[in-house]
Amino acid sequence: MMKRFLLWILAVLSVGACTTVPPTNVHQPMTARPVPRQENLASTGSIFQAGVSRTLFEDRRARYVGDTMTISISETTSASTKSNTKASRNTSISATAPTIRGLPGKSFQGIGLSAEGANSLDGKGEAAANNVFTGTITVTVIEVLPNGNLLVSGEKQVSIGAGTEYIRLSGIVNPYFINAANTISSSQVADARIEYKESGVISEAQVMGWLARFFLSFLPF
C-alpha cells in the first residue's frame, strides 16, 4: 500500500513538473493556409490575365484567407474605484420598579433597571489598476466574413533561457482600416483578444502548489 502511494506521488510530481503550453482564449485556428487558386490560364498577351488573383493596380493589403498582416499592439488601461461607508446607532433604555404595598415580590420593588446598546459600521474600500501592453505581432486571416471583414488570429513564441513567452491576438478587422503598409492598430480591432502568457521555471515559481491549493480550498479556517 505504501509503495502504491509513493508511486502515485511521483506520478503527480512528474506531471506537475512538465512545462505545458498555457491555454488560450483567442479565435481558433491561429493560422490558416491560403485557399487553392484556379490554375492560371494561358497568357493572351493582354494586360488583364484571366485567373490572376490580383489585378495590376491592386495593393498588397490582406483580404483573403491565408494573407498576413501586422498589428501594432498599443493597449493602455487605467481604472480606479474608492468607496466609504459609515453607519451608527445608539440605544438607551431605563426603567424603575416603584414601591407598592400589598404585592408579592417585595425584594424587586424600588430596583432601577437600565440598558444601553451601540452599533457602528465604518467600511472603506479602494482599488486601482494600470496596465500597459505594447508590441507588434503578425497575424493570419483565418476567415472572410460575408460583409468583407476579416477574422484574424496569430501567435508569437519567444524562448529565453528556460522560459517561453506566448503573445497571442485575434479579432475582427475592417479592411478599410488597414493602411498602405498592411498594418493596423490594435485599438481598431473589434472583439480583440490579446494575451501575454509565459511558461517555464519563473512562471511556475509564482504559482501555488497543487497540495496547498487543495487545503486552501477545503479548509474552513
Side-chain angles (χ1 to χ4, degrees):
M1 186 66 181
M2 188 63 181
K3 185 177 181 180
R4 290 183 179 179
F5 178 75
L6 293 176
L7 291 175
W8 179 80
I9 292 295
L10 291 175
V12 171
L13 292 177
S14 62
V15 171
C18 296
T19 301
T20 58
V21 178
T24 180
N25 294 321
V26 303
H27 295 91
Q28 299 294 323
M30 293 185 187
T31 186
R33 292 183 177 275
V35 178
R37 309 288 187 187
Q38 296 181 359
E39 295 183 2
N40 294 338
L41 302 178
S43 175
T44 59
S46 62
I47 295 178
F48 174 79
Q49 298 292 328
V52 177
S53 60
R54 298 183 186 269
T55 61
L56 179 63
F57 300 101
E58 185 176 350
D59 55 36
R60 307 301 295 182
R61 301 178 188 178
R63 58 171 50 91
Y64 298 115
V65 174
D67 289 352
T68 61
M69 60 178 299
T70 301
I71 297 181
S72 176
I73 303 175
S74 180
E75 298 291 330
T76 302
T77 59
S78 178
S80 62
T81 179
K82 185 177 182 180
S83 61
N84 188 0
T85 303
K86 287 186 177 182
S88 62
R89 182 176 64 181
N90 296 321
T91 304
S92 177
I93 300 175
S94 61
T96 302
T99 302
I100 302 176
R101 298 180 181 275
L103 293 179
K106 295 182 178 181
S107 59
F108 296 101
Q109 295 183 13
I111 295 179
L113 302 176
S114 64
E116 295 182 358
N119 295 321
S120 63
L121 171 64
D122 187 0
K124 295 181 180 180
E126 186 174 353
N130 294 280
N131 300 285
V132 178
F133 188 5
T134 59
T136 57
I137 182 174
T138 299
V139 296
T140 305
V141 178
I142 61 176
E143 184 180 354
V144 179
L145 303 182
N147 62 351
N149 289 341
L150 310 176
L151 178 60
V152 299
S153 182
E155 178 185 61
K156 179 191 292 186
Q157 297 184 17
V158 181
S159 297
I160 303 176
T164 303
E165 298 177 350
Y166 298 84
I167 303 174
R168 297 162 177 156
L169 186 147
S170 70
I172 298 176
V173 174
N174 188 333
Y176 293 101
F177 294 157
I178 305 175
N179 59 27
N182 197 32
T183 63
I184 189 175
S185 173
S186 61
S187 61
Q188 297 176 310
V189 178
D191 193 19
R193 302 180 183 181
I194 306 173
E195 295 179 351
Y196 176 84
K197 297 182 179 180
E198 58 183 356
S199 64
V201 178
I202 297 178
S203 62
E204 292 175 357
Q206 302 176 14
V207 179
M208 184 182 297
W210 63 269
L211 188 58
R213 293 198 303 269
F214 171 79
F215 286 110
L216 186 64
S217 301
F218 288 93
L219 286 179
F221 51 84

